[in-house]
């Protein structure tokens, strides 16, 4: 294939490319991270134009960057976060370490509702300042696409405030944001004895009004005994379906209510947490093409012992994504690399599965499988150059940052290598 390059194109040369492209296999027929060596990664504007054998690329006046044999991977995708909220819950964590359970804390108006109070009392600017720091940490370790949920406002005004801050973060930062409406996250105090009336408010007012304002692109529900019932979840999904909005769910985290099958019925994007998922649920999502999102930070922080059914998910070929679930109550961790490590150690994923979990499968969980999460022609030019040779190195040694360059839409945004 011959290619004509423009002066403004950029060639990344002399890298080991972990493309994560599932069609590239090594000589044993194994996928092996879709590794390519002696290939040029050619960028035009915001996208990858082509990946071609080095000797076939005619270099004219365009810029060539020598990657000096380093590893290049797709930018990391964090497909489940609650990044914008007021206050923190460190003292609650201390209570939990003194023996009080998460469910008990929720029942006493703590838990999610404590963050709801703090979020309602915070100005948009205060919310932005704290979320920006978290986003900085995630971007510094290579995140280029991130999902952010509402769900700590729980009324029209405060859900709007949270999602407007999400929009501001998206405008001010070199990162793509996927905003999600999670108004059905908890029953707010003013609806304590009438959760159905709150679901009315979500379905009839919050969801349609904020959709009209283009403040989100998908709808999530916390389907759990401390959240919303299956019937209430269905009502929210029906309201979303009326407007053609994709759905996803926090399901089977603390018990099995059957939320996974419900998400599958609606051809949902993802089912998240899923520690208590059973074979019926796995079978349902294998049919609907829904991604299983593993959240090892919450599993660890809640000292959960029930592991998600990894072998069943493998058996049914369900794509598994991994995310930080960054939130103040159950996963206050701004490192997706740490989550990859935890998914291997705690859940038994292979390092390659962990990489797929923050690239191709995370892209699918955000409805972006055709444009994000791989190094391939036509995909977004979002990638990371690491001070490493092997993909496993990135999740093996934590505590220092091996990122050399972070490239977003073809442009170097972070360069930390010393
Ligand atoms: O994803 N499970 C429900 N929602 C969050 C926890 C939110 C919180 O405790 O503030 C989660 O773990
Ligand atoms: Fe969550």
């Amino acid at each position: 294939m011959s290619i004509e390059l423009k002066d403004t194109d950029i060639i990344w040369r002399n890298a080991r490319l972990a493309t994560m492209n599932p069609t590239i296999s090594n000589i044993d027929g194994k996928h092996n991270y879709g590794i390519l060596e002696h290939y040029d990664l050619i960028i035009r504007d915001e996208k990858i134009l082509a990946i071609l054998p080095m000797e076939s690329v005619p270099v004219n006046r365009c810029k060539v960057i020598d990657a000096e044999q380093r590893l290049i991977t797709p930018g990391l995708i964090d497909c489940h976060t609650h990044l914008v909220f007021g206050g923190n819950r460190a003292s609650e964590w201390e209570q939990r370490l003194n023996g009080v359970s998460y469910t008990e804390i929720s029942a006493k108006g703590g838990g999610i509702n404590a963050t709801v109070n703090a979020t309602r009392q915070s100005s948009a600017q205060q919310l932005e300042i704290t979320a920006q720091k978290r986003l900085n940490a995630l971007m510094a370790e290579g995140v280029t696409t991130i999902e952010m949920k509402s769900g700590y406002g729980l009324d029209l005004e405060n859900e709007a405030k949270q999602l407007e801050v999400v929009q501001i973060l998206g405008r001010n930062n070199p990162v793509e944001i996927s905003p999600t409406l999670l108004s059905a996250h908890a029953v707010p105090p003013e609806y304590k004895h009438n959760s159905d009336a709150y679901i009315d408010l979500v379905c009839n007012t919050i969801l349609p009004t904020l959709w009209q304002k283009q403040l989100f692109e998908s709808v999530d529900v916390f389907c759990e005994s401390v959240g919303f019932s299956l019937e209430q979840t269905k009502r929210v999904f029906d309201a979303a379906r009326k407007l053609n909005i994709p759905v996803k769910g926090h399901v089977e985290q603390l018990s099995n209510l059957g939320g996974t099958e419900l998400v599958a019925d609606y051809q949902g994007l993802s089912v998240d947490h899923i520690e208590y998922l059973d074979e019926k649920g796995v079978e349902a999502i294998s049919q609907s093409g829904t991604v299983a999102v593993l959240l090892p930070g919450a599993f660890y922080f809640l000292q959960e012992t029930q592991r998600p059914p990894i072998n069943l998910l493998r058996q049914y070929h369900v794509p598994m994504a991994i995310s930080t679930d960054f939130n103040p109550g159950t996963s206050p961790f701004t490192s997706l690399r740490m989550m990859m490590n935890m998914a291997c150690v705690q859940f038994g994923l292979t390092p390659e599965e962990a990489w797929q979990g923050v690239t191709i499968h995370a892209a699918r969980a955000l409805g972006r499988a055709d444009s994000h999460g791989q190094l391939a022609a036509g995909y977004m030019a979002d990638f990371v150059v690491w001070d490493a040779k092997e993909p496993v190195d990135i999740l093996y040694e934590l505590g220092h940052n091996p990122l050399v360059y972070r490239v977003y839409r073809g442009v170097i945004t972070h360069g930390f290598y010393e």
Side-chain angles (χ1 to χ4, degrees):
M1 175 180 161
S2 82
I3 190 160
E4 244 179 69
L5 294 181
K6 294 188 192 170
D7 293 357
T8 48
D9 293 341
I10 299 172
I11 299 176
W12 286 82
R13 178 158 282 181
N14 284 329
R16 213 169 130 72
L17 303 175
T19 65
M20 302 312 298
N21 180 339
T23 64
I24 297 173
S25 40
N26 68 4
I27 28 177
D28 311 329
K30 289 211 183 113
H31 170 235
N32 196 29
Y33 304 95
I35 295 271
L36 292 176
E37 280 179 299
H38 313 296
Y39 275 69
D40 280 350
L41 177 64
I42 306 167
I43 309 305
R44 176 167 297 170
D45 303 324
E46 300 202 319
K47 289 190 177 166
I48 297 170
L49 177 68
I51 299 177
L52 294 171
M54 209 165 94
E55 55 289 350
S56 71
V57 176
V59 178
N60 46 13
R61 280 170 308 203
C62 73
K63 187 168 166 187
V64 180
I65 302 176
D66 185 356
E68 299 173 4
Q69 310 301 329
R70 295 187 182 108
L71 178 73
I72 298 187
T73 68
L76 309 191
I77 300 174
D78 196 351
C79 65
H80 177 143
T81 84
H82 310 248
L83 212 75
V84 177
F85 56 84
N88 80 30
R89 304 229 297 279
S91 67
E92 233 175 56
W93 181 47
E94 190 159 4
Q95 281 183 52
R96 283 207 278 115
L97 292 173
N98 281 290
V100 189
S101 77
Y102 182 58
T103 320
E104 279 172 85
I105 291 171
S106 288
K108 282 190 204 135
I112 294 173
N113 268 321
T115 302
V116 172
N117 285 335
T119 304
R120 287 177 174 180
Q121 281 163 29
S122 301
S123 68
Q125 204 189 6
Q126 286 167 328
L127 294 178
E128 185 197 332
I129 290 169
T130 50
Q132 180 67 57
K133 291 181 192 166
R134 300 172 191 127
L135 182 56
N136 288 345
L138 287 160
M139 290 193 300
E141 278 198 344
V143 169
T144 50
T145 303
I146 181 167
E147 190 255 19
M148 292 186 196
K149 301 175 194 293
S150 71
Y152 290 119
L154 307 188
D155 60 25
L156 181 61
E157 180 198 344
N158 288 291
E159 288 286 292
K161 180 174 73 182
Q162 243 192 303
L163 289 171
E164 274 154 10
V165 172
V166 169
Q167 298 291 330
I168 292 169
L169 292 169
R171 283 200 294 275
N172 291 350
N173 290 280
V175 73
E176 181 167 326
I177 290 186
S178 166
T180 298
L181 184 82
L182 176 61
S183 299
H185 191 199
V187 182
E190 59 279 16
Y191 285 90
K192 196 170 171 203
H193 301 293
N194 196 356
S195 59
D196 281 331
Y198 178 61
I199 291 294
D200 289 343
L201 179 75
V202 172
C203 296
N204 303 333
T205 308
I206 302 179
L207 189 152
T209 310
L210 301 186
W211 178 249
Q212 181 84 38
K213 291 189 172 174
Q214 303 187 329
L215 285 175
F216 63 91
E217 62 177 43
S218 59
V219 168
D220 194 350
V221 176
F222 187 20
C223 180
E224 189 57 69
S225 53
V226 294
F228 295 92
S229 69
L230 211 52
E231 199 40 51
Q232 291 170 327
T233 304
K234 191 170 176 324
R235 289 186 54 210
V236 178
F237 285 179
D238 282 335
R241 182 186 264 173
K242 256 206 226 151
L243 296 168
N244 262 325
I245 308 169
V247 301
K248 53 176 93 168
H250 281 71
V251 292
E252 335 305 3
Q253 180 188 8
L254 310 168
S255 62
N256 187 315
L257 293 191
T260 301
E261 282 108 298
L262 187 68
V263 173
D265 282 349
Y266 286 75
Q267 258 74 50
L269 288 169
S270 67
V271 287
D272 303 41
H273 286 290
I274 57 169
E275 278 84 346
Y276 288 81
L277 180 59
D278 59 13
E279 185 161 1
K280 252 176 64 203
V282 175
E283 196 181 349
I285 51 173
S286 76
Q287 302 292 321
S288 61
T290 302
V291 176
V293 178
L294 308 174
L295 304 172
F299 173 91
Y300 156 81
F301 203 60
L302 292 173
Q303 297 178 294
E304 180 58 77
T305 50
Q306 170 93 17
R307 290 182 168 70
I310 303 300
N311 280 333
L312 279 175
L313 292 165
R314 282 182 183 139
Q315 200 182 309
Y316 282 84
H317 304 289
V318 173
M320 293 182 278
I322 299 168
S323 168
T324 59
D325 188 19
F326 185 93
N327 76 74
T330 68
S331 193
F333 308 117
T334 47
S335 173
L336 195 49
R337 291 174 53 225
M338 184 165 101
M339 298 305 127
M340 294 164 78
N341 178 300
M342 283 183 169
C344 293
V345 174
Q346 298 185 135
F347 297 162
L349 264 64
T350 65
E352 185 172 10
E353 286 173 324
W355 265 106
Q356 289 166 342
V358 298
T359 55
I360 48 172
H361 296 332
R364 177 168 300 278
L366 297 182
R368 287 163 166 79
D370 298 331
S371 51
H372 295 64
Q374 287 183 46
L375 302 178
Y379 278 64
M380 292 299 172
D382 297 347
F383 56 89
V384 183
V385 183
W386 303 98
D387 179 26
K389 190 156 191 319
E390 300 297 336
V392 68
D393 296 346
I394 307 309
L395 49 147
Y396 163 68
E397 195 177 324
L398 302 178
H400 85 280
N401 188 358
L403 182 143
V404 182
Y405 298 116
R406 173 189 184 275
V407 177
Y408 178 71
R409 302 295 135 91
V411 176
I412 297 175
T413 63
H414 293 61
F416 288 140
Y417 187 69
E418 288 159 39

